[in-house]
Amino acid sequence: MAASIEHITYLGEPAVKVTTEKLEGIVVPGWGSNLISLVWRPTGTPLLRSPENAEAYHARTTLHGMPVLFPPGRLENGGFTFRGREYRFPIDPKRGLHIHGVLMRLPWRLTKAEAADGGAEVETTVIAEEAPAVHSAFPHNFTVRHSFRFTDHAVELRFILESRDEAAMPWGLGYHTTFLMPLGGDLSRCKLKLAAGKTWMLDERLLPTGELADEPLAAAMADGLALDSAEFDDAFPADPGAPFEAVLTDEGAGLRIKYEGDNKYFKHWVLYNGKGSALRGFFCPEPLTWLPNAPHVDAPAELTGFQVLEPGETVTVVSRLTVDAL
């Protein structure tokens, strides 16, 4: 079937529903340009954790859909200094630090929703100077465009960052992608494959210390780690010799999800599944371009992923979800 576009209302918010032969996705521009729902159509299986109502979404924004993290992760003291310029972000009073950036709760403007060439594209845009929460944290003139390109059984995300400024700007990107897990049946039949030979050492506030250690689950993850056997709230540097990808399989649901990103920019994974809390039924593989707290970590930028956008420069960061039947 050809892909189709439908403008709908989702829990009181204007949204765009995209339907392809195998997938149905819903993008909510007003909720941080969030792909809030993704469904495998042949069996009607929801793949992403979606909220029951708007109140549930706002109570735990990071645990629904694919929130955009800009910058990603935790940031000590709520800010940093770069080339003599201050960057200040809201501090979470419960944690005493900033977490997850300034875009995930921001209304984005819908700038494209069209079906063509057997697929469909939804694009949203933020102009920094028109968004006080963004411009006060990143005092630069820039534009962000977020594109979702749907094909038969895949979604490609393009995060396009364009400088219109006269000064260089630091930046970092991630996605707090929250899959339902298990998708069907038993969590012991759900597996993760990920190349991660090392893990970042974290302090009591889950901030990286700058030290790396051997990851004890590396061999198990390389072969396929059963998701009922580990609790995660951990950060891993990407293996430079392997593709940047995490593969989730659920034998009970008969599905495989490959989550991949551009090796040029994505340098780290954070894995999270509640780690001992009562929150269960989900698994978050979070691809990050820079390590949480990267501006404060005493390690080379090549390792932390600390990125700089030069004046007039544009970068395009690509990631992709591909879903297949086993």
Side-chain angles (χ1 to χ4, degrees), residues 1-286:
M1 63 172 285
S4 66
I5 292 280
E6 183 181 356
H7 293 269
I8 65 171
T9 299
Y10 179 86
L11 300 181
E13 288 287 325
V16 180
K17 181 168 74 172
V18 180
T19 304
T20 69
E21 183 176 351
K22 299 292 179 63
L23 296 176
E24 179 186 283
I26 297 175
V27 177
V28 184
W31 284 355
S33 188
N34 196 332
L35 179 60
I36 199 69
S37 173
L38 189 65
V39 175
W40 177 252
R41 294 186 65 238
T43 55
T45 304
L47 307 176
L48 294 172
R49 187 174 187 263
S50 302
E52 295 181 358
N53 50 53
E55 291 75 17
Y57 169 77
H58 291 297
R60 295 302 301 267
T61 301
T62 54
L63 290 181
H64 296 100
M66 294 183 68
V68 180
L69 312 181
F70 183 81
R74 299 174 181 228
L75 191 56
E76 190 175 8
N77 301 324
F80 60 94
T81 301
F82 175 73
R83 296 186 185 177
R85 188 175 297 207
E86 294 289 325
Y87 298 83
R88 292 294 161 197
F89 302 82
I91 290 179
D92 182 335
K94 294 181 180 179
R95 298 179 174 93
L97 44 74
H98 175 75
I99 187 166
H100 293 332
V102 293
L103 290 183
M104 71 175 179
R105 294 183 177 88
L106 189 76
W108 294 51
R109 179 165 56 94
L110 180 65
T111 47
K112 181 187 290 186
E114 60 184 36
D117 300 325
E121 182 177 5
V122 178
E123 182 186 83
T124 59
T125 301
V126 168
I127 297 174
E129 306 94 286
E130 298 176 359
V134 177
H135 206 236
S136 62
F138 286 103
H140 294 272
N141 298 334
F142 63 95
T143 299
V144 179
R145 297 193 303 278
H146 198 213
S147 169
F148 302 86
R149 300 182 179 185
F150 290 80
T151 55
D152 177 30
H153 61 134
V155 186
E156 181 180 274
L157 285 72
R158 289 177 174 256
F159 184 93
I160 303 166
L161 179 62
E162 176 188 355
S163 168
R164 292 177 285 98
D165 206 271
E166 297 180 354
M169 169 185 146
W171 66 276
L173 170 70
Y175 292 98
H176 205 292
T177 311
T178 307
F179 292 107
L180 286 172
M181 199 56 62
L183 299 172
D186 189 347
L187 191 61
S188 67
R189 301 183 70 192
C190 302
K191 294 183 179 180
L192 165 73
K193 282 193 174 184
L194 181 74
K198 299 287 184 178
T199 186
W200 286 100
M201 300 298 291
L202 306 178
D203 67 15
E204 65 280 358
R205 294 193 295 168
L206 301 181
L207 295 170
T209 65
E211 299 179 51
L212 288 165
D214 291 334
E215 170 51 50
L217 294 176
M221 286 195 285
D223 291 337
L225 174 71
L227 289 182
D228 66 340
S229 63
E231 297 176 342
F232 286 109
D233 196 349
D234 302 280
F236 307 87
D239 185 335
F244 188 91
E245 64 182 32
V247 179
L248 293 169
T249 57
D250 186 330
E251 294 178 356
L255 290 173
R256 180 185 71 169
I257 303 170
K258 181 195 284 188
Y259 192 6
E260 55 192 325
D262 184 348
N263 284 78
K264 180 178 179 180
Y265 295 111
F266 285 110
K267 304 296 183 184
H268 307 275
W269 287 100
V270 166
L271 301 180
Y272 177 65
N273 65 349
K275 195 164 187 177
S277 75
L279 294 169
R280 294 298 180 190
F282 69 87
F283 188 78
C284 299
E286 305 169 36

